[in-house]
Amino acid sequence: MRGGRGGGLLVAGTTSDAGKSVVTAGICRWLVREGLKVAPFKGQNMSLNSFVTREGAEIGRAQAMQAQAARVEPTALMNPVLLKPGGDRSSQVVLMGKPVGEMSAKGFFGGSGGSSPGKALHGGRQKELFEPVMACLEELRSTYDAVICEGAGSPAEINLRRTDIVNMGVARAAKLPVVVVGDIDRGGVFAQFFGTTALLSPEDQSLVAGYLVNKFRGDVSLLEPGLDMLYGLTGRRTFGVLPYAHGLGIDEEDGLRVSLRGTVRESVVAPPVGADVLRVAVCAVPLMSNFTDVDALAAEPGVVVRFVDRPEELVDADLVVVPGTRGTVKALGWLRERGLADALARRAAEGRPVLGVCGGFQALGERIEDEVESKAGVVDGLGLLPVRVRFGVEKTLARPVGEALGERVEGYEIHHGVADVRGGEPFLDGCRVGSVWGTHWHGSLESDGFRRAFLREVAAAAGRRFVPAPDTSFGTLREEQLDRLGDLIEEHADTDALLRLIEEGAPAGLPFVPPGAP
């Protein structure tokens, strides 16, 4: 640390999904293994996958994963602004871990429109959040040896630069060096690197130290002439070429990008312990949130997880999961329109397992009264559980601990709906009727003993000779995945050069690449 202020780096990307989240996590894990005290940071995040910190703050799940990579407890400082989409044009704004209202995209990014999220947003403009975002970053830098910041989308989104609080706006204010990540598996990575740099102002370009190629397949020597030409064009070096890595299974930013058909979460490849596999179908409801709940299932040997959107895809499923959603009423309509509601009712009548989590739990109930999220008023649920839900203005954010099926369970809650459970067997904070379970608790399946007990119940109800592996530890698997990310950085990036950037900033004299920002 210099003068009581830690070093830093901004990991930007040529596009969304270029690999910023995993590269940031990998750098965090590499640095902490080097003995540094490190923290992740993302000034503004848009994601339906979120997490609750121990102090009861909601942040992006990717930042919680990066905190785990850094071996520190996640806090609201690491993701001060979280946008949770409620549709194509509006999002809930979460500031310092607490929701402060809904806002249209036009209102947030600098136009007008949408309801005011209150005094915290000082009129509802994104640029008004710049000061609290920078205050969080500075507080982290005063505490940690290094803060590794993640950008959002692309830093060359010239229509948004004026109010940017997550990419070059942060880099300029904090004088952070920037490394731009590009996904070569998509193609066009050289044009992306060059174009990203050339669309930045001279002041922004002076902080762009170079590039990092992600997801490369093949012989790196074939790529090197292109990297040399890129250096000749931009005067900036490439700090590493990361190979394509299968099976990382690291938390993704945005549930909206999950394929609606045939998607299988990457997991360990291991044969089933028993004679049968267990098939899990996850209903890909609109505005699906925290679909990472099923990662712990996919980590079990012999459990096959897929996302589905048609009733016929439930026929061979041993367990159907109705996951969380930012739009419970909208999800209900979707389930009915596609015939999935009837298929779920048939499963319940036949005693075949169904699990509803958070919004999915609410949808399985008898009735929903919603004047907050959808403002639809009273809406009939699927009637599979004796539960009535009323949406409140205050959001429940909690880290509960309890017991179910004779095992200790930990989870986290993120919901506006308050459940009035009127029958059934108690199940966490929800209930169970026959083979239908419902709970608001996200992350419960990461508790190993409970997950195994639950899968034994599912296998028995489904008539499958499936046996949970006795030694699967989801926490251990996650640590192994994070170590693999650290290994990718350590083995395939110029770590000496990255460390100099973090400690000293961008090198002086980086050339300007015309034409610059318009």
Side-chain angles (χ1 to χ4, degrees), residues 68-313:
Q68 186 176 352
R71 296 176 180 153
V72 296
E73 190 67 33
T75 74
L77 293 172
M78 297 171 184
N79 179 207
V81 180
L82 173 64
L83 306 179
K84 302 193 72 175
D88 291 337
R89 297 186 178 182
S90 67
S91 294
Q92 182 181 69
V93 182
V94 179
L95 178 62
M96 291 304 296
K98 304 297 180 184
V100 292
E102 296 281 334
M103 175 156 283
S104 69
K106 185 176 180 181
F108 184 76
F109 287 107
S112 59
S115 59
S116 170
K119 295 180 180 179
L121 289 186
H122 307 291
R125 301 295 180 96
Q126 182 191 32
K127 63 184 179 182
E128 301 295 339
L129 292 171
F130 188 70
E131 185 176 336
V133 164
M134 292 307 302
C136 289
L137 176 56
E138 288 305 308
E139 185 170 343
L140 288 174
R141 293 186 74 181
S142 70
T143 308
Y144 291 87
D145 298 326
V147 179
I148 307 304
C149 307
E150 179 187 345
S154 161
E157 291 168 347
I158 53 179
N159 56 314
L160 303 178
R161 177 62 184 90
R162 181 177 60 86
T163 55
D164 171 45
I165 63 172
V166 65
N167 288 308
M168 300 311 300
V170 168
R172 282 268 292 276
K175 296 181 173 57
L176 293 175
V178 179
V179 172
V180 181
V181 178
D183 180 355
I184 197 170
D185 198 49
R186 294 180 172 186
V189 75
F190 292 115
Q192 292 170 21
F193 284 145
F194 180 85
T196 296
T197 308
L199 278 177
L200 300 178
S201 69
E203 295 81 5
D204 286 352
Q205 285 193 27
S206 69
L207 295 172
V208 176
Y211 314 109
L212 196 62
V213 177
N214 192 30
K215 296 185 181 180
F216 180 72
R217 306 172 191 252
D219 187 343
V220 176
S221 66
L222 299 176
L223 188 65
E224 288 172 350
L227 300 180
D228 292 338
M229 286 185 275
L230 181 66
Y231 179 81
L233 289 166
T234 67
R236 289 159 175 83
R237 57 168 300 186
T238 299
F239 290 96
V241 177
L242 307 183
Y244 195 103
H246 293 277
L248 288 174
I250 295 298
D251 297 347
E252 298 173 48
E253 286 257 297
D254 199 342
L256 293 174
R257 291 192 176 90
V258 176
S259 167
L260 292 184
R261 193 178 313 286
T263 299
V264 177
R265 301 289 292 157
E266 293 181 303
S267 59
V268 253
V269 178
V273 175
D276 291 339
V277 299
L278 210 60
R279 295 173 175 84
V280 179
V282 184
C283 296
V285 297
L287 300 174
M288 180 167 44
S289 61
N290 287 70
F291 62 87
T292 47
D293 283 334
V294 300
D295 282 358
L297 295 178
E300 282 284 349
V303 175
V304 179
V305 177
R306 66 184 189 273
F307 291 84
V308 304
D309 64 346
R310 298 183 301 187
E312 54 268 30
E313 293 176 297

Side-chain angles (χ1 to χ4, degrees), residues 265-273 277-278 280 294-305 445-456 466-474 477:
R265 301 289 292 157
E266 293 181 303
S267 59
V268 253
V269 178
V273 175
V277 299
L278 210 60
V280 179
V294 300
D295 282 358
L297 295 178
E300 282 284 349
V303 175
V304 179
V305 177
L445 294 167
E446 296 179 17
S447 298
D448 297 327
F450 167 70
R451 182 180 64 254
R452 286 191 278 269
F454 177 71
L455 289 176
R456 282 192 290 269
F466 170 83
V467 178
D471 55 356
T472 301
S473 167
F474 185 77
L477 289 172

Side-chain angles (χ1 to χ4, degrees), residues 363-403:
L364 296 180
E366 298 171 346
R367 189 181 75 182
I368 294 170
E369 185 178 342
D370 181 12
E371 299 291 350
V372 175
E373 190 175 77
S374 68
K375 298 180 173 59
V378 177
V379 177
D380 288 336
L382 299 184
L384 304 185
L385 290 174
V387 176
R388 295 186 179 183
V389 176
R390 181 171 184 169
F391 276 67
V393 174
E394 296 297 319
K395 180 185 280 192
T396 297
L397 297 169
R399 290 278 294 271
V401 177
E403 183 176 305

Side-chain angles (χ1 to χ4, degrees), residues 464-512:
R464 296 288 186 189
R465 294 174 297 166
F466 170 83
V467 178
D471 55 356
T472 301
S473 167
F474 185 77
T476 299
L477 289 172
R478 175 51 52 90
E479 278 296 304
E480 290 173 355
Q481 290 164 337
L482 293 172
D483 273 331
R484 288 181 61 196
L485 289 181
D487 293 343
L488 286 175
I489 298 298
E490 189 171 338
E491 296 170 9
H492 300 282
D494 186 338
T495 52
D496 289 339
L498 288 177
L499 195 56
R500 282 195 299 274
L501 284 180
I502 292 167
E503 293 179 342
E504 302 172 10
L510 291 168
F512 172 68

